[in-house]
Amino acid sequence: MSVPDFKNLLRLPPFFFFLLINFKYDTLLAQTSQKPVTLQKNDLKTLSGRITDQATGETLIGVSITAKGIKTGTTTNNYGYFSITIPADTATFQISYIGYQTIDTLINLSLKSTVAFRLKPLQNELNTVIIKGTSNQPVQQTSQMGKINLPISQIQALPKFFGEPDLFKALQTLPGVQQGSEGTSAVLVRGGSPDQNLILLDGAPLYNPSHLLGIFSAFNTYAIKNVDLYKGAFPARYGGRLSSVIDISMNDGNMKKIQGQFTVGLLASQLTIEGPIRKDKTSFIISGRRTYHDLYAEPILKATNPDVEKFKLYFYDLNAKIHHKFSDQDQVYLSFYNGQDKLRTKVKQGGISDGSTALGDFGLAWHNTTGAVRWNHIFSDKLFANTTLTTSQYKFNTTMTSSIFGSKAGINSDDILSINSGITDYTAKIDFDYLPLPAHSIKMGASYTIHTFTPGTSLSKQTFNNEILKNENTGSKIRGREMDLYAEDDWTITDKLKANIGLHASGFDVQGKFYTSLQPRISARYLLPGDWALKASYARMTQYMHLLASNSISLPTDLWVPATSKVLPQQSSQFALGMSRNVFNNQFEFSAEGYYKTMNNIIEYKDGADYVVTSENNDWENKITTGKGKAYGLELFLQKKTGRLTGWASYALAWTNRTLPEINNGKTFPYKYDRRNTLNLVGVYKLKPGIELSATFVYQSASPFTMPTTQFEGVSPEQDKPNERADQKLEYIESRNNIRIQPTHRLDLGVSFIKLKKAERSVPGISVSTMFITDRTYFISISKITRAIQLI
């Protein structure tokens, strides 16, 4: 099918896609059967249930369940639930998950249709290094493209930056994912910007996922269970962003016994405690992390610079969760996250002639808070539902104070400028998993979100001898309501052809304007000779919010703004084509993907615009321009998941450009994160029990930068006057992002010494050392001491 024909297919009415997932039973059976065998509904039997960790009671995500002798299989969802329907009364089921003992069990479905499997961890699989395919299902069997699963054990096995295992730095080593500036935790996927990533923490969106001005990500890996990255071929259940979805699940808490972990690093320490409130019924987990380098940095700064009165720079985050089982059919989860960063400097600005003293006080503070309440209910052995209520709040504050006091006349004065911005969400959502037939896995749901945006609110205040001379408070809030409805079907059409077909419909009500969007999604797999899988996908996405950012770097000072009556929502269309296969006796997983993505209604500040937005009339709308973006490239990925040596190699060849009418004279220019080549090599080697070696090598092509290339002598009628400078220069910038800075490469080396405990599960401990090497700069540190805590 040609590309134009494919586009025409996508222009079919929306009900066409719903018809695909709602065929009558007899029609589906006729299409999915390879032989003219007549089966009745009563000939089909269903097995359903949950799968958990035997040692902790944690639900396991992505466990493979297959029926031997029958080409039917499934995996557990984010809550450990599965349902599989087969045309037989009795079958041998295999339950497999890397790092756990495989179960083979014969089940008579006429006697038992609901089961609860508890998998036993393998002691010799401590810190197994995997990043994709946590089940034994070969990559060529799935219809999904552009998805990578990242278990937390992988992150903690990699070399650590200043002793902190970092989720986003691990994501940056995957194909199609880039970092922003060197050393930061920004995630840029397939030519997109940071705001185009949907980051979900237990279903709640997180808007600023970074600490310390972007150096670290906002996630404590000791509180996280699973991470899924979608960089293309988005399933219909996700919406609201253009470039990627990062779906993060927190640990549920140990149902068996109380245990914990305490770590001490160069920059931060963390404590995690989990256990049962009521054994096998209710569990909890609480995990906190805080940096403390400001405790020793402040005395050093004061000793070296007497003008420094105060210095604070730290972050903390707190994760908490409660899981309660009412019954096998009903379970409730309560999740909470809070993270905060604070920077403050207070410096004397020198004496004044009248004997008074001036102080400059500057502060930055930003925080994220999310909460989620989720209720799982199993209606039948084929229907599972998850109802969720979430809230998410992001706030940023900048405060600048100039004070004069101690003059001979006893006069004191203060000038205060405070700028606030942020976004607050409240969401209600319901999702259904329905598995009517062996060939079909249907998901559908709806959600409703209330957004409140604060693009920029400022407080300006002047006092003189405790009397207020000026007190101005300007700014405004923008409220919007977003509605989403979706349906998708993972359909095994034949033994060779499988497809995930879906439709996501959304609406956004803001300032009397109602935007609507229909977003078709399709991802298909066809098995070629030699067991190679040819995969293709198309996804259309709509985003009802923007991030106002400078052209140079991304900071927490960037402002979240909504689509308004004047500013249109962002939209994208992405095509992808690729091949994948397990190779070398299934020890390696190989995939190659090419993609082409177009983006519309993306925004940027106009050249020369003031980034500080403080008007009550939303003057940011007058400081921006909208245009188009384009990204395309090729990604290669080779991964080894088993054995003493594990790891992967990834390479990406990519282009990303922008075209905006009021920037660069309307000419196309490379996006600030455009890098032509990116190479990542990652490896972990188990030298012997208790000792692991790890290494990460990253190479990135030169990124674009804007600099003046020509200088002219300034000519002015005033230059002949006395005291006027005659050497004034005028700089000329030929175009936006007109030069390339040097390529960067980095090599991280690590060694982990692990204490093995003779217990049901081995426990990592003792210490980690890391070497960091980049562009002839060498850094070696003892980065973390870990102590496992187990309480009866």
Side-chain angles (χ1 to χ4, degrees):
M1 182 180 293
S2 65
V3 172
D5 291 337
F6 186 64
K7 290 184 177 179
N8 291 332
L9 174 64
L10 296 173
R11 292 193 182 101
L12 290 173
F15 67 84
F16 171 78
F17 296 97
F18 286 99
L19 289 176
L20 290 177
I21 61 174
N22 287 282
F23 279 132
K24 291 183 179 180
Y25 169 81
D26 293 334
T27 304
L28 289 173
L29 192 58
Q31 290 181 341
T32 56
S33 298
Q34 297 300 308
K35 298 179 180 180
V37 178
T38 303
L39 291 176
Q40 302 299 322
K41 270 192 175 182
N42 292 336
D43 295 327
L44 298 174
K45 300 295 182 180
T46 300
L47 180 71
S48 65
R50 294 182 191 263
I51 301 180
T52 58
D53 184 312
Q54 184 186 80
T56 66
E58 282 274 357
T59 54
L60 298 177
I61 300 172
V63 179
S64 174
I65 304 98
T66 58
K68 288 188 174 182
I70 304 173
K71 293 184 177 180
T72 301
T74 188
T75 58
T76 55
N77 65 10
N78 279 8
Y79 306 98
Y81 172 80
F82 75 93
S83 176
I84 181 171
T85 300
I86 63 172
D89 290 331
T90 303
T92 299
F93 292 90
Q94 183 177 83
I95 297 87
S96 56
Y97 194 64
I98 291 180
Y100 291 80
Q101 293 183 5
T102 298
I103 295 178
D104 288 290
T105 180
L106 180 66
I107 299 178
N108 187 335
L109 300 182
S110 299
L111 301 177
K112 179 183 293 188
S113 62
T114 303
V115 294
F117 292 111
R118 296 175 177 85
L119 300 188
K120 185 177 181 180
L122 292 172
Q123 293 187 18
N124 59 0
E125 288 287 330
L126 177 64
N127 288 339
T128 298
V129 179
I130 52 175
I131 69 162
K132 186 179 180 184
T134 52
S135 69
N136 288 343
Q137 188 176 25
V139 64
Q140 63 265 28
Q141 295 297 327
T142 65
S143 61
Q144 182 67 51
M145 289 185 71
K147 177 188 175 182
I148 296 179
N149 176 265
L150 189 63
I152 301 306
S153 59
Q154 171 60 59
I155 301 172
Q156 296 176 349
L158 297 181
K160 303 169 180 62
F161 184 66
F162 278 98
E164 288 301 310
D166 193 276
L167 169 60
F168 279 11
K169 284 185 172 61
L171 290 175
Q172 289 169 356
T173 64
L174 302 176
V177 183
Q178 294 181 343
Q179 60 183 341
S181 303
E182 175 64 30
T184 65
S185 62
V187 171
L188 309 164
V189 180
R190 290 185 172 178
S193 54
D195 64 305
Q196 293 176 357
N197 302 315
L198 176 61
I199 301 168
L200 299 173
L201 181 60
D202 268 0
L206 202 66
Y207 287 98
N208 181 43
S210 65
H211 284 309
L212 288 182
L213 299 174
I215 297 177
F216 294 105
S217 67
F219 305 102
N220 183 354
T221 59
Y222 295 97
I224 296 174
K225 173 168 57 176
N226 186 77
V227 179
D228 288 325
L229 167 68
Y230 297 86
K231 55 183 180 176
F234 304 102
R237 57 188 178 273
Y238 295 110
R241 299 294 189 278
L242 302 189
S243 292
S244 77
V245 177
I246 303 173
D247 195 349
I248 303 169
S249 300
M250 287 176 54
N251 284 321
D252 299 331
N254 197 313
M255 281 279 188
K256 305 296 183 180
K257 59 185 176 182
I258 296 177
Q259 65 179 24
Q261 191 173 61
F262 175 69
T263 67
V264 179
L266 287 177
L267 295 182
S269 292
Q270 74 86 31
L271 173 65
T272 301
I273 300 291
E274 60 178 320
I277 298 175
R278 184 179 174 186
K279 193 171 182 180
D280 294 327
K281 197 75 173 177
T282 307
S283 65
F284 78 94
I285 181 172
I286 182 167
S287 182
R289 179 175 60 157
R290 190 195 190 278
T291 58
Y292 40 71
H293 54 281
D294 57 310
L295 301 180
Y296 56 80
E298 184 177 24
I300 295 175
L301 287 174
K302 286 183 177 180
T304 57
N305 187 350
D307 291 336
V308 175
E309 288 203 351
K310 286 186 178 181
F311 174 78
K312 297 291 183 184
L313 177 59
Y314 67 88
F315 73 78
Y316 74 84
D317 45 50
L318 177 68
N319 295 81
K321 189 172 183 178
I322 294 177
H323 171 209
H324 178 69
K325 296 171 60 176
F326 286 100
S327 66
D328 291 338
Q329 287 74 37
D330 294 279
Q331 301 192 24
V332 171
Y333 302 81
L334 305 176
S335 305
F336 172 81
Y337 169 82
N338 179 259
Q340 181 164 336
D341 286 68
K342 182 169 285 189
L343 166 64
R344 185 185 179 190
T345 60
K346 190 174 183 180
V347 182
K348 294 180 182 179
Q349 297 178 337
I352 304 178
S353 58
D354 63 356
S356 60
T357 301
L359 280 178
D361 196 345
F362 174 75
L364 288 177
W366 63 95
H367 78 264
N368 292 280
T369 302
T370 68
V373 180
R374 293 174 296 161
W375 168 41
N376 294 170
H377 180 67
I378 300 175
F379 286 95
S380 69
D381 55 7
K382 295 183 180 181
L383 182 61
F384 172 88
N386 181 57
T387 305
T388 309
L389 299 175
T390 67
T391 181
S392 179
Q393 183 182 73
Y394 167 65
K395 285 188 176 181
F396 172 79
N397 171 259
T398 304
T399 302
M400 293 168 282
T401 304
S402 179
S403 303
I404 299 177
F405 62 92
S407 66
K408 294 179 181 179
I411 296 174
N412 300 322
S413 66
D414 290 292
D415 288 328
I416 302 173
L417 175 62
S418 179
I419 302 175
N420 301 284
S421 66
I423 180 173
T424 301
D425 288 349
Y426 296 97
T427 302
K429 186 177 182 181
I430 186 166
D431 302 280
F432 296 96
D433 287 15
Y434 179 50
L435 298 98
L437 294 166
H440 292 269
S441 176
I442 298 173
K443 297 180 186 292
M444 49 193 162
S447 67
Y448 183 87
T449 302
I450 299 174
H451 301 283
T452 302
F453 296 86
T454 308
T457 301
S458 66
L459 170 65
S460 179
K461 184 177 181 181
Q462 292 183 358
T463 65
F464 184 79
N465 280 355
N466 297 323
E467 292 185 9
I468 298 177
L469 301 181
K470 184 179 75 170
N471 191 356
E472 297 179 353
N473 191 347
T474 63
S476 63
K477 293 184 177 181
I478 304 176
R479 291 178 173 83
R481 296 175 297 167
E482 183 175 350
M483 292 70 73
D484 296 271
L485 181 68
Y486 75 87
E488 67 178 80
D489 183 13
D490 199 42
W491 180 13
T492 303
I493 303 172
T494 68
D495 285 346
K496 293 184 178 297
L497 181 61
K498 187 175 183 180
N500 186 293
I501 302 171
L503 180 69
H504 186 104
S506 64
F508 188 67
D509 183 15
V510 61
Q511 295 180 339
K513 179 77 173 180
F514 189 71
Y515 294 101
T516 60
S517 174
L518 289 176
Q519 305 161 42
R521 318 279 176 79
I522 181 169
S523 179
R525 175 270 288 163
Y526 184 79
L527 287 179
L528 300 173
D531 208 26
W532 283 91
L534 176 65
K535 296 185 178 183
S537 68
Y538 171 80
R540 182 171 176 83
M541 305 291 284
T542 298
Q543 180 171 328
Y544 296 107
M545 56 187 68
H546 306 264
L547 186 66
L548 279 175
S550 67
N551 183 53
S552 54
I553 57 175
S554 293
L555 294 172
T557 52
D558 300 339
L559 305 178
W560 284 96
V561 296
T564 66
S565 57
K566 298 180 181 179
V567 180
L568 297 176
Q570 301 182 65
Q571 292 183 328
S572 74
S573 294
Q574 182 176 169
F575 297 87
L577 182 68
M579 296 184 69
S580 61
R581 188 183 187 276
N582 280 13
V583 296
F584 301 114
N585 296 323
N586 290 328
Q587 293 187 41
F588 289 82
E589 188 174 284
F590 173 79
S591 65
E593 288 187 21
Y595 66 92
Y596 182 85
K597 179 168 66 173
T598 59
M599 295 167 280
N600 294 317
N601 304 325
I602 58 176
I603 69 171
E604 281 202 27
Y605 281 114
K606 298 177 182 177
D607 288 331
D610 182 7
Y611 294 158
V612 179
V613 182
T614 60
S615 170
E616 59 183 355
N617 296 318
N618 296 321
D619 67 343
W620 60 268
E621 294 177 328
N622 302 319
K623 298 180 180 180
I624 65 169
T625 182
T626 61
K628 298 181 179 181
K630 184 184 295 184
Y632 52 95
L634 172 68
E635 298 167 3
L636 304 177
F637 188 44
L638 179 66
Q639 175 193 216
K640 186 175 186 293
K641 299 185 290 186
T642 59
R644 295 178 65 183
L645 175 63
T646 55
W648 67 93
S650 69
Y651 169 74
L653 175 66
W655 290 261
T656 175
N657 300 309
R658 297 287 189 268
T659 306
L660 296 98
E662 297 183 65
I663 294 179
N664 200 44
N665 297 319
K667 298 179 181 178
T668 299
F669 60 91
Y671 187 44
K672 61 182 178 180
Y673 299 121
D674 175 53
R675 290 188 175 95
R676 196 68 63 244
N677 299 281
T678 303
L679 174 67
N680 297 284
L681 302 174
V682 177
V684 177
Y685 181 69
K686 295 183 179 181
L687 185 63
K688 63 180 182 179
I691 301 180
E692 286 185 351
L693 305 178
S694 60
T696 301
F697 176 78
V698 178
Y699 170 84
Q700 295 186 118
S701 292
S703 60
F705 194 75
T706 303
M707 283 191 66
T709 55
T710 309
Q711 281 189 341
F712 299 94
E713 291 187 3
V715 179
S716 171
E718 307 294 327
Q719 68 182 21
D720 295 330
K721 292 185 179 181
N723 302 324
E724 291 292 335
R725 294 181 59 187
D727 59 346
Q728 293 180 354
K729 302 292 183 180
L730 298 177
E731 295 181 338
Y732 173 71
I733 299 176
E734 181 181 2
S735 62
R736 173 74 69 91
N737 294 334
N738 57 332
I739 68 166
R740 296 270 177 172
I741 61 177
Q742 291 185 351
T744 63
H745 63 272
R746 189 182 76 245
L747 173 65
D748 300 326
L749 300 175
V751 55
S752 300
F753 300 97
I754 304 170
K755 182 180 179 181
L756 301 179
K757 183 172 181 179
K758 294 181 180 180
E760 189 171 353
R761 294 187 72 183
S762 299
V763 181
I766 308 307
S767 65
V768 176
S769 66
T770 302
M771 179 185 296
F772 176 77
I773 307 175
T774 176
D775 293 339
R776 301 180 183 177
T777 300
Y778 302 85
F779 176 77
I780 303 176
S781 70
I782 303 298
S783 59
K784 185 173 286 292
I785 298 175
T786 305
R787 182 62 181 171
I789 305 167
Q790 291 205 357
L791 305 175
I792 302 301

